[in-house]
Amino acid sequence: MADRETRPPTVWSRPDRGARGPAPERSRPQITGAAVALADEEGLAAVSMRALAQRLGTGPASLYRYVGSRDELLDLMADAVAGELDLSAAPGGDWLDGLVGLALQSKAAHLRHPWLADLNDRRGEVLGPHAVDYLDHALAILAPAPGTAGQKLEAVGLLGGLAVLFARREAGGGDRSDRAAHLAAVAAEGRHPHLLAALTEAGAPPPADPADRDALFVRLLRRLLPAMLDEGEGEGEGEGG
């Protein structure tokens, strides 16, 4: 029982490698980078300690001096991607512009690493140092925004969820005009009058433009985020009154 109570909770709580054994041949960042590259090329299922050791030209046992398990390796991989986001700009100016810019970076990271969304679905809420930096930076951007601290945390969560959703949709490809034509044909059958009315009023969607692929994502964020935080401000005024 005492061992469980004193065991560090995450891989980042331990030294980069075990104290025993010969001088280090590698580092955690090198091992993590190789694992990310393997997942990019072959998918998350291909990432195992054995496959990674083969890629690095060593034996699996040697990797356990740096990483205790595959789960810890996955945690390191997720945090390495979080470290790709540029957080160097000092928060300031329009908070919504800053948050939308951060969301676009997040979506781009998920497009570069399609396995990341599935990984985050499976690994829970383990936050590494880069992910914590991202969260703190997002909250710094939101500092001048209305709303409570809790609602700002919810807004950051919504931002991340939409980034994943839109990245998955974009990575899935497909022709938007084909989907629209199918939906219009279904609506025209007469069993969905509200859908038919909405499609008739909206008209045909414009042809897909790769340069405009972020437009809907940005538009949705600019509608939802202020609405969430305005609601928080209203609740605060009601309580103060």
Side-chain angles (χ1 to χ4, degrees), residues 6-26:
T6 58
R7 185 179 302 164
T10 71
V11 63
W12 297 281
S13 303
R14 298 196 313 273
D16 282 357
R17 65 178 295 275
R20 297 181 180 180
E25 300 175 353
R26 295 174 179 80

Side-chain angles (χ1 to χ4, degrees), residues 146-148 151 225-237:
T148 66
Q151 283 154 346
L225 293 172
M228 291 178 68
L229 298 172
D230 284 345
E231 181 180 353
E233 184 179 48
E235 290 175 359
E237 290 175 356

Side-chain angles (χ1 to χ4, degrees), residues 124-234:
E125 297 297 327
V126 179
L127 295 183
H130 287 122
V132 174
D133 289 344
Y134 164 85
L135 178 58
D136 187 74
H137 185 75
L139 291 173
I141 291 174
L142 280 168
T148 66
Q151 283 154 346
K152 289 179 181 181
L153 286 168
E154 290 174 353
V156 176
L158 175 68
L159 180 153
L162 287 175
V164 172
L165 176 65
F166 274 73
R168 278 176 162 164
R169 180 178 180 182
E170 190 171 327
D175 190 332
R176 183 173 60 175
S177 61
D178 288 346
R179 292 193 297 267
H182 170 71
L183 195 60
V186 171
E189 294 174 358
R191 294 184 292 109
H192 305 90
H194 300 290
L195 175 60
L196 178 60
L199 292 176
T200 301
E201 181 179 345
D209 182 357
D212 196 42
R213 63 184 183 275
D214 292 329
L216 177 59
F217 180 59
V218 171
R219 190 162 64 246
L220 192 60
L221 286 172
R222 288 188 173 278
R223 289 176 180 172
L224 290 177
L225 293 172
M228 291 178 68
L229 298 172
D230 284 345
E231 181 180 353
E233 184 179 48

Side-chain angles (χ1 to χ4, degrees), residues 36-55:
V36 168
L38 180 59
D40 287 345
E41 295 169 14
E42 302 183 30
L44 191 62
V47 178
S48 68
M49 300 299 275
R50 182 176 298 277
L52 182 58
Q54 184 176 8
R55 190 180 187 93

